[in-house]
Amino acid sequence: MGDAMSTDLPASKGSGVKLADSDFAADHRSTDVRTAVGDYWLRVRSGDLGAIPAILGLAGLIVLFTALRPDTFLSKGNLANLSTQALPVTILAMGLVFVLLLGEIDLSAGVASGVCAAVMAKLIVDSGQPWYVAVLAAIAIGIVIGTVLGWLVAVVRIPSFVVSLAFFLGLQGITLRLIGDGGTVPVHDDVIVALANKNMPLWLGWTAAVVCAAGYAATQLRRWQRQRSRGLAASPIELVAARVAVVAVVLLAGTYLLSLDRAPSPLVTLAGIPWGVPLVAVLLIICTFVLGRTSFGRHIYAVGGNAEAARRAGINVTRIKVAVFMISSALAAISGVVAASRLNSVATDSGGGNTLLYAVGAAVIGGTSLFGGRGRARDAVLGGLVIAIIDNGLGLLGTKAYANFLITGVVLLLAASIDATARRRRSSTGR
Amino acid sequence: MSHATAVRPVLELRGIDKSFGPVRVLHDVALTAHPGEVTALVGDNGAGKTTLVKGIGGVHGFDAGEYRFNGEPVRPRSPRDAAALGIEVVHQDLALCENLDVVENMFLGRERSNGLALDETAMEEAARRTLAGLSVRTVGSVRRRVSELSGGQRQTVAIARAVLWDSRLVVLDEPAAALGVAQTQQVLELVRRLADKGLAVILVSHNMNDVFAVSDRIVALYLGRTAAQVRTADVTHRQVVELITSGRTGDLGLPA
Ligand SMILES: Nc1ncnc2c1ncn2[C@@H]1O[C@H](COP(=O)(O)OP(=O)(O)OP(=O)(O)O)[C@@H](O)[C@H]1O
Ligand SMILES: [Mg+2]
């Protein structure tokens, strides 16, 4: 790789520095789409799969379930259903991306979301607290759980697998204690219920979608322009434009589909983007910014890639680890609130069962590595959609519970083996 | 290079002791490094070179002894402290993050920010300027991941990271150990260029040819002690080898 670098450089480089013929030549060739695509293909072949498995998975599943259930799967009502179904698992997975980036695992994130949701529900129902107090309390509990977890992992140095397994058991006990055996706490607060059950007004949905698409286009183009003008490495403009176009089309098409009237009866209208979707969008933007554009995010990748190197570079590894577990549990709390909204209640088994496996599966299917150092916030969204489609499609097919468990287990294994294979390729091609 | 003797040493170590539990690894070690000079640190496997280098770089502390930097007594407690003084270490195991690119590695732990957001433009420009200033020819793109680079290219990145900062002393622990002939030559040229820029350079190496090719002074460690500190011009290959293997040669070295 990288031998063919005797490309011509732009004549003047300023500052009197004479570059040898191969100096950064690759940075200056990159205006060429073919080389960029070639480089991308090389990366893919050497095990850097990015979003490819998730997108193939999405396409394959959509085709599969459309073929098996042509009337119901792609119906307007079911699409809206899908979008809310994906919400809790996506948010939980987004938190797990942070943990996985460190090469750690948090097996308790699911039940932590249950505990936090139970706290929220109890505060609303038993103490009559307003929704925002209850939600803030839930997030605060999440942060406390994450702090303790992170402390045990980073300072006491118990493997995260063991710590979070202990929490997985312990926190279920706390939910039981809070709610009582076999009980449920109903959630009737308007705002909470609206998250997964009410929709944005159509005009607001369209405005938000257009603003997001335009904002994305503006940041991408501004970055490209800055890189070009300063002679830095930049993707070819055609690729930037293609990325912007894909994002815009997805946003606008999604908005269009969710803006169609999906009420079963012609007497009422039911249309719009569920309120939980913009919540996920905001979380996605924040997490993407934190991971990709701040030094804190950079340090997370560094610790996940090589903790000793990070330490020697002066990064406080302990602090990063604790912070990551705090973020993960805080997002778990938000996920718990959204899940409670979807079910209109919190039960003793909230966040238990396959919740966590779904979320880990979502992150890994999206492209986050279980081995640390690789992953992005958007992986949670892509993977969350895949998981939601599987869950939703199996529901439509009416498969038995035992089959659901089997299929989900196989999907998780499949994602993990793609990850492991890709990693092997990386280490065999990386010289 | 006769002017160098007049210049105050950048680094002076005297009477340095370091133990790991019951194991005494460094005992009464002395070493000085002068600006504009390459000081070679030689010694057999396990002589304590890496331990000494890590102590200089603040990775761990020394148990006893005098550590002066620019004439001032100092005691760096972390790599960050050492960096603040102007000491950069390229470790034997490089300590790069393979999942990050060249620029990201060079600025790791010392990123430049514009408010909350990283200033990628400034970092990329500075990285590029440093690499160009070192006449580095081997890194295709500064945005390539380190996992895609060869051993020599990684070494280059690690060295460039050390000189990116306004450092006075650069310590390289066996930078050429895993490299082929051509790449070793490049790294040695790079080392010489650092010294010619006025930095003090400490180079750990097992290769006598390399040592005699680039160094101005040689410090030989023997079982955790300083066997001798000599000018390269004043000794022969054979004498240095004897210092390394038995701690003395003629009237040079540790008392019998
Ligand atoms: N963390 C540690 N704990 C205990 N002993 C150690 C530790 N680090 C090094 N040592 C011991 O200190 C001695 C010196 O090791 P050091 O790594 O400094 O040698 P070196 O001169 O760099 O050798 P090499 O040429 O093989 O790199 C060795 O005997 C080693 O076993
Ligand atoms: Mg060593």
Side-chain angles (χ1 to χ4, degrees):
Chain A
M1 228 190 291
D3 297 322
M5 278 185 219
S6 48
T7 325
D8 289 334
L9 280 173
S12 114
K13 275 297 296 173
S15 74
V17 176
K18 194 186 155 294
L19 295 180
D21 66 14
S22 56
D23 280 358
F24 321 119
D27 290 347
H28 295 277
R29 300 182 302 194
S30 53
T31 31
D32 179 0
V33 183
R34 266 190 41 207
T35 7
V37 172
D39 285 353
Y40 177 71
W41 182 234
L42 263 178
R43 283 197 163 186
V44 169
R45 286 216 323 205
S46 66
D48 208 347
L49 298 179
I52 293 178
I55 289 172
L56 289 182
L58 271 179
L61 287 167
I62 290 175
V63 170
L64 177 71
F65 286 125
T66 310
L68 292 174
R69 284 289 176 276
D71 305 329
T72 42
F73 181 68
L74 279 185
S75 71
K76 292 172 252 170
N78 194 46
L79 286 180
N81 224 343
L82 252 176
S83 72
T84 53
Q85 210 164 351
L87 295 175
V89 61
T90 300
I91 300 174
L92 196 59
M94 216 178 280
L96 284 166
V97 166
F98 283 79
V99 176
L100 294 174
L101 275 176
L102 291 184
E104 307 279 355
I105 184 76
D106 180 0
L107 297 174
S108 67
V111 291
S113 80
V115 170
C116 297
V119 168
M120 174 204 69
K122 293 287 275 189
L123 281 176
I124 292 176
V125 175
D126 293 359
S127 334
Q129 297 290 336
W131 67 270
Y132 49 89
V133 173
V135 169
L136 283 180
I139 295 175
I141 297 288
I143 291 177
V144 170
I145 293 173
T147 312
V148 179
L149 240 170
W151 182 79
L152 288 168
V153 172
V155 181
V156 186
R157 309 217 179 178
I158 312 172
S160 57
F161 168 74
V162 177
V163 177
S164 62
L165 194 56
F167 271 59
F168 174 75
L169 292 175
L171 291 177
Q172 291 186 72
I174 292 183
T175 310
L176 263 182
R177 176 75 182 76
L178 280 173
I179 298 183
D181 286 331
T184 54
V185 183
V187 177
H188 293 311
D189 181 89
D190 287 341
V191 176
I192 305 282
V193 168
L195 271 179
N197 299 291
K198 291 272 165 17
N199 305 310
M200 299 167 84
L202 293 188
W203 64 268
L204 185 57
W206 279 110
T207 315
V210 170
V211 166
C212 280
Y216 182 73
T219 43
Q220 291 292 312
L221 289 176
R222 265 230 320 276
R223 169 133 55 105
W224 180 83
Q225 206 178 18
R226 198 175 50 233
Q227 289 170 333
R228 263 321 35 192
S229 66
R230 312 268 289 257
L232 304 180
S235 320
I237 185 68
E238 292 87 345
L239 282 194
V240 176
R243 262 206 312 268
V244 167
V246 167
V247 169
V249 165
V250 167
L251 279 172
L252 297 178
T255 309
Y256 171 75
L257 288 173
L258 291 173
S259 298
L260 298 172
D261 183 10
R262 54 181 176 264
S265 127
L267 300 177
V268 287
T269 52
L270 177 61
I273 301 172
W275 278 104
V277 175
L279 171 67
V280 167
V282 168
L283 291 175
L284 173 66
I285 291 169
I286 295 176
C287 292
T288 303
F289 178 80
V290 167
L291 285 176
R293 298 264 160 269
T294 67
S295 48
F296 173 68
R298 179 72 37 88
H299 295 174
I300 293 177
Y301 284 96
V303 172
N306 186 343
E308 178 58 19
R311 195 180 72 81
R312 291 201 202 144
I315 295 170
N316 186 334
V317 175
T318 309
R319 199 181 61 103
I320 297 283
K321 282 192 178 172
V322 175
V324 159
F325 278 97
M326 286 165 69
I327 291 172
S328 163
S329 301
L331 283 166
I334 298 175
S335 154
V337 170
V338 176
S341 164
R342 215 168 86 78
L343 302 174
N344 290 312
S345 67
V346 179
T348 46
D349 62 350
S350 286
N354 53 15
T355 311
L356 179 90
L357 285 190
Y358 271 171
V360 173
V364 175
I365 291 170
T368 297
S369 172
L370 289 165
F371 304 98
R374 274 162 207 269
R376 308 165 77 166
R378 66 143 203 240
D379 297 349
V381 177
L382 286 173
L385 275 174
V386 171
I387 292 286
I389 288 180
I390 294 175
D391 201 30
N392 176 288
L394 292 179
L396 292 179
L397 295 181
T399 43
K400 298 253 166 42
Y402 80 88
N404 279 358
F405 278 114
L406 276 174
I407 292 170
T408 322
V410 168
V411 169
L412 181 57
L413 263 186
L414 197 68
S417 31
I418 291 175
D419 180 29
T421 316
R423 180 182 144 93
R424 266 217 322 276
R425 287 199 82 120
R426 279 200 301 272
S427 51
S428 66
T429 48
R431 285 163 287 173
Chain B
M1 273 165 261
S2 53
H3 66 280
T5 32
V7 184
R8 191 173 62 187
V10 172
L11 174 78
E12 290 172 275
L13 300 176
R14 221 166 288 145
I16 296 292
D17 287 351
K18 172 75 185 174
S19 303
F20 291 109
V23 189
R24 182 164 241 199
V25 178
L26 297 178
H27 181 58
D28 196 21
V29 168
L31 180 151
T32 52
H34 298 262
E37 290 192 353
V38 176
T39 304
L41 179 60
V42 298
D44 233 334
N45 291 123
K49 304 179 297 295
T50 297
T51 309
L52 186 62
V53 165
K54 284 188 177 167
I56 294 171
V59 175
H60 53 222
F62 293 128
D63 299 337
E66 202 177 307
Y67 183 156
R68 282 174 180 275
F69 193 73
N70 286 330
E72 303 285 320
V74 293
R75 192 120 289 203
R77 291 172 175 283
S78 68
R80 184 162 270 190
D81 285 356
L85 289 169
I87 302 171
E88 292 291 332
V89 179
V90 179
H91 291 281
Q92 193 164 5
D93 55 1
L94 290 191
L96 295 172
C97 290
E98 299 203 355
N99 58 335
L100 300 183
D101 68 29
V102 173
V103 180
E104 291 169 344
N105 266 289
M106 285 175 69
F107 278 88
L108 192 60
R110 293 178 276 194
E111 290 83 3
R112 278 191 209 161
S113 290
N114 228 340
L116 263 184
L118 292 169
D119 190 350
E120 297 285 0
T121 321
M123 290 194 281
E124 189 173 326
E125 280 180 335
R128 189 180 298 250
R129 225 177 299 122
T130 304
L131 286 165
L134 294 171
S135 309
V136 167
R137 289 189 201 89
T138 49
V139 181
S141 161
V142 292
R143 285 299 180 187
R144 273 172 84 185
R145 286 216 184 116
V146 167
S147 61
E148 299 168 16
L149 301 182
S150 74
Q153 292 173 324
R154 290 175 198 212
Q155 194 69 57
T156 309
V157 172
I159 296 174
R161 173 168 75 179
V163 299
L164 179 62
W165 311 98
D166 207 12
S167 39
R168 307 281 317 275
L169 170 66
V170 174
V171 188
L172 303 124
D173 196 352
E174 300 198 35
L179 302 185
V181 179
Q183 292 197 324
T184 301
Q185 202 51 42
Q186 280 183 7
V187 167
L188 290 180
E189 277 168 25
L190 194 53
V191 168
R192 193 60 245 176
R193 237 172 283 138
L194 296 185
D196 293 344
K197 280 165 171 262
L199 276 72
V201 180
I202 296 178
L203 171 73
V204 178
S205 177
H206 281 292
N207 186 314
M208 282 309 118
N209 292 327
D210 296 358
V211 167
F212 276 88
V214 295
S215 74
D216 302 293
R217 288 166 198 269
I218 298 176
V219 175
L221 284 188
Y222 178 69
L223 299 180
R225 292 163 190 267
T226 305
Q229 283 207 70
V230 292
R231 299 192 136 273
T232 310
D234 298 343
V235 287
T236 63
H237 254 66
R238 198 183 50 79
Q239 285 178 303
V240 176
V241 172
E242 276 182 27
L243 283 171
I244 292 172
T245 51
S246 59
R248 77 184 77 84
T249 169
D251 49 0
L252 259 182
L254 296 164

